[in-house]
Amino acid sequence: MPRPDFAPDTHPLEVIRWALREYPDLAMPSAFNLNGVVLIDLAARAGYSGEVLFVDTALHFRETLETRDRLAQRYPRLSFVTLSAGLEPDERYASDPDACCAARKVAPLSTYLQARAPSALLNARSRDQASTRANLGFLEEGSRVRINPLAYWDRATLEAYAREQELPVNPLYWDGFLSVGCWPCTRAVRPGEDARAGRWAGRGKTECGLWVGDRSL
Ligand code: SF4
């Protein structure tokens, strides 16, 4: 199927509207970071009324869970689905964070997606979040197409949009937690660091495994 050749300055709404026409069964995983909250709002404006998938690792900040609940109230037409591996909190994140992420994050979402089998995923990543995302485009091919409508929006643009629309951004964001994951693996970002520098800081790990590798998601 031929893909549209979206220019980098294409508005995310246009990309989302195309995606909804092309992949009406798409799914949207979210961690409710700034990018995620902006994408949820844009998707709702574009007419999306499907699922927002959240993986509860049992190690999230209280503020993240409260953000999910505020979003569910604000967007009643969307279906907020919380997935979980059902594991009790432990300290595996300290000894083997890759295995911890694989069990707590990747496995629940992967299992759900295998059963639900959407043809595409709407994803909130953007280029300026980290050097590892610097080449991200609107579309990524794979067993499931990933659509990244925010690929070219930078942090200032995302913040301006969130303020303009009065979105319920995770309050930790405004305290410097520019990317919020589980509490044992997240710290506030320091001046000059990229937005994801506070994730697994000092552990040589930059991704949880959801968006890298064999594209099994
Ligand atoms: S972010 Fe940390 S605590 Fe959360 S699943 Fe990954 S390793 Fe475990």
Side-chain angles (χ1 to χ4, degrees):
M1 184 183 310
R3 302 287 188 214
D5 188 17
F6 292 120
D9 63 351
T10 304
H11 196 284
L13 273 174
E14 188 179 328
V15 179
I16 297 170
R17 286 184 180 122
W18 169 83
L20 294 180
R21 285 194 304 273
E22 205 70 19
Y23 305 103
D25 67 332
L26 65 77
M28 176 165 50
S30 184
F32 309 133
N33 281 298
L34 173 68
N35 290 44
V37 172
V38 168
L39 184 62
I40 287 169
D41 187 77
L42 287 163
R45 282 176 60 191
Y48 181 62
S49 58
E51 294 174 335
V52 180
L53 307 175
F54 171 69
V55 182
D56 187 351
T57 62
L59 291 160
H60 280 297
F61 289 95
R62 173 181 50 80
E63 289 87 343
T64 302
L65 303 178
E66 289 173 353
T67 299
R68 172 200 58 189
D69 296 343
R70 283 197 300 275
L71 288 163
Q73 277 193 336
R74 179 172 169 133
Y75 303 101
R77 291 187 66 224
L78 297 177
S79 175
F80 286 76
V81 178
T82 297
L83 308 171
S84 168
L87 301 170
E88 293 297 319
D90 59 26
E91 296 186 355
R92 198 179 190 185
Y93 56 78
S95 59
D96 193 346
D98 285 338
C100 185
C101 279
R104 291 181 183 275
K105 284 187 167 183
V106 180
L109 185 56
S110 179
T111 300
Y112 186 85
L113 291 177
Q114 279 172 22
R116 156 99 155 67
S119 54
L121 298 177
L122 207 53
N123 191 275
R125 289 170 299 156
S126 56
R127 288 182 166 219
D128 83 339
Q129 285 179 306
S131 58
T132 50
R133 296 182 179 181
N135 296 317
L136 191 70
F138 284 128
L139 303 176
E140 290 176 285
E141 302 294 343
S143 56
R144 250 183 274 282
V145 180
R146 294 179 194 164
I147 300 136
N148 311 310
L150 303 179
Y152 294 91
W153 271 18
D154 61 15
R155 182 142 54 93
T157 306
L158 292 160
E159 287 183 5
Y161 182 89
R163 286 198 160 100
E164 193 181 289
Q165 302 296 326
E166 300 182 350
L167 301 185
V169 174
N170 189 331
L172 292 172
Y173 179 86
W174 307 115
D175 290 334
F177 290 75
L178 302 188
S179 176
V180 185
C182 300
W183 64 260
C185 302
T186 308
R187 65 157 170 78
V189 168
R190 297 169 185 140
E193 290 183 331
D194 72 36
R196 288 179 60 83
R199 304 287 298 277
W200 306 283
R203 297 191 215 173
K205 177 174 167 69
T206 57
E207 299 281 350
C208 62
L210 291 177
W211 310 118
V212 295
D214 63 3
R215 304 281 179 87
S216 57
L217 292 181

Coordinates of all heavy atoms in Angstrom, one line a residue, residues 57 59 93 96-98 100-101 104-105 181-182 184-185 199-200 203 205 208, ligand 1:
T57 N 3.0 -1.2 36.0 CA 4.1 -2.1 36.4 C 4.0 -2.3 37.9 O 4.9 -3.1 38.4 CB 5.4 -1.4 36.1 OG1 5.5 -0.1 36.8 CG2 5.5 -1.1 34.6
L59 N 4.9 -0.2 39.9 CA 6.0 0.7 40.4 C 5.9 2.1 39.9 O 6.9 2.8 39.7 CB 7.3 0.1 40.1 CG 7.6 -1.2 40.8 CD1 8.7 -2.0 40.1 CD2 8.1 -1.0 42.3
Y93 N 14.5 -4.4 39.6 CA 14.9 -3.2 38.8 C 16.4 -2.9 39.1 O 17.1 -2.3 38.3 CB 14.0 -2.0 39.1 CG 13.9 -1.6 40.5 CD1 14.9 -0.9 41.1 CD2 12.8 -2.0 41.2 CE1 14.8 -0.5 42.5 CE2 12.7 -1.6 42.6 CZ 13.7 -0.9 43.2 OH 13.6 -0.6 44.5
D96 N 18.6 -6.3 37.6 CA 18.4 -6.7 36.2 C 17.2 -5.9 35.6 O 16.1 -6.4 35.4 CB 18.1 -8.2 36.1 CG 18.2 -8.7 34.6 OD1 18.3 -7.8 33.7 OD2 18.3 -9.9 34.5
P97 N 17.5 -4.6 35.3 CA 16.3 -3.8 34.8 C 15.8 -4.2 33.5 O 14.6 -4.1 33.3 CB 17.0 -2.4 34.7 CG 18.4 -2.6 34.8 CD 18.7 -3.8 35.5
D98 N 16.6 -4.8 32.7 CA 16.1 -5.3 31.4 C 15.0 -6.4 31.6 O 13.9 -6.4 31.0 CB 17.2 -5.9 30.5 CG 18.0 -4.8 29.9 OD1 17.5 -3.6 29.8 OD2 19.2 -5.0 29.5
C100 N 13.4 -6.9 34.4 CA 12.2 -6.3 35.1 C 11.3 -5.6 34.0 O 10.1 -5.8 34.1 CB 12.8 -5.2 36.1 SG 11.5 -4.5 37.1
C101 N 11.8 -4.8 33.1 CA 11.0 -4.2 32.1 C 10.3 -5.2 31.2 O 9.2 -5.1 30.9 CB 11.8 -3.3 31.2 SG 12.2 -1.6 31.9
R104 N 7.5 -6.7 33.4 CA 6.4 -5.9 33.9 C 5.8 -5.0 32.8 O 4.7 -4.6 33.0 CB 7.0 -4.9 35.0 CG 7.3 -5.6 36.3 CD 7.9 -4.7 37.4 NE 8.2 -5.4 38.6 CZ 7.4 -5.8 39.5 NH1 6.1 -5.4 39.5 NH2 7.8 -6.5 40.6
K105 N 6.6 -4.6 31.8 CA 6.1 -3.7 30.8 C 5.8 -4.4 29.5 O 4.7 -4.4 28.9 CB 7.1 -2.6 30.5 CG 7.2 -1.6 31.6 CD 8.1 -0.5 31.1 CE 7.9 0.8 31.9 NZ 8.8 1.9 31.4
G181 N 8.8 7.4 34.2 CA 8.6 6.0 34.1 C 8.3 5.5 35.6 O 7.7 6.2 36.3
C182 N 8.8 4.3 35.9 CA 8.6 3.8 37.3 C 9.5 4.6 38.2 O 10.5 5.1 37.9 CB 9.0 2.3 37.3 SG 8.1 1.3 36.2
P184 N 11.4 3.8 40.7 CA 12.8 3.5 41.1 C 13.8 3.8 39.9 O 15.0 3.8 40.2 CB 12.8 1.9 41.3 CG 11.4 1.6 41.4 CD 10.6 2.6 40.6
C185 N 13.3 4.1 38.7 CA 14.2 4.2 37.6 C 14.0 5.6 36.9 O 14.4 5.8 35.8 CB 13.8 3.2 36.5 SG 14.0 1.5 37.2
R199 N 15.8 8.7 32.9 CA 15.3 7.3 32.9 C 16.5 6.4 33.0 O 17.4 6.4 32.2 CB 14.5 7.0 31.6 CG 13.4 8.0 31.4 CD 12.2 7.7 32.3 NE 11.6 6.4 32.1 CZ 10.7 6.1 31.2 NH1 10.3 7.1 30.4 NH2 10.2 4.9 31.1
W200 N 16.5 5.5 33.9 CA 17.6 4.5 34.2 C 19.0 5.2 34.2 O 20.0 4.6 33.7 CB 17.6 3.4 33.1 CG 16.3 2.7 33.0 CD1 15.8 1.8 33.8 CD2 15.3 2.9 31.9 NE1 14.5 1.4 33.3 CE2 14.2 2.1 32.2 CE3 15.3 3.7 30.8 CZ2 13.1 2.0 31.4 CZ3 14.2 3.7 30.0 CH2 13.1 2.8 30.3
R203 N 22.7 3.6 34.3 CA 22.6 2.2 34.2 C 22.9 1.7 32.8 O 22.6 0.5 32.5 CB 21.3 1.7 34.7 CG 21.0 2.0 36.2 CD 19.8 1.3 36.7 NE 19.1 2.1 37.7 CZ 18.0 1.8 38.2 NH1 17.4 0.7 37.8 NH2 17.4 2.6 39.1
K205 N 21.1 2.1 30.2 CA 19.8 1.6 29.6 C 19.0 2.9 29.2 O 19.0 3.8 30.0 CB 19.1 0.8 30.6 CG 17.7 0.3 30.2 CD 17.2 -0.6 31.3 CE 15.7 -0.9 31.2 NZ 15.4 -1.8 30.0
C208 N 12.8 1.0 27.5 CA 12.3 -0.2 28.3 C 12.2 -1.4 27.4 O 12.0 -2.5 28.0 CB 10.9 0.2 28.8 SG 9.7 0.6 27.6
Ligands
SF4_1 S1 11.3 1.0 34.5 FE1 12.4 0.1 36.2 S2 10.9 -0.6 37.8 FE2 9.8 -0.2 35.8 S3 9.7 -2.1 34.8 FE3 11.6 -1.1 34.0 S4 13.3 -1.8 35.4 FE4 11.3 -2.3 36.3

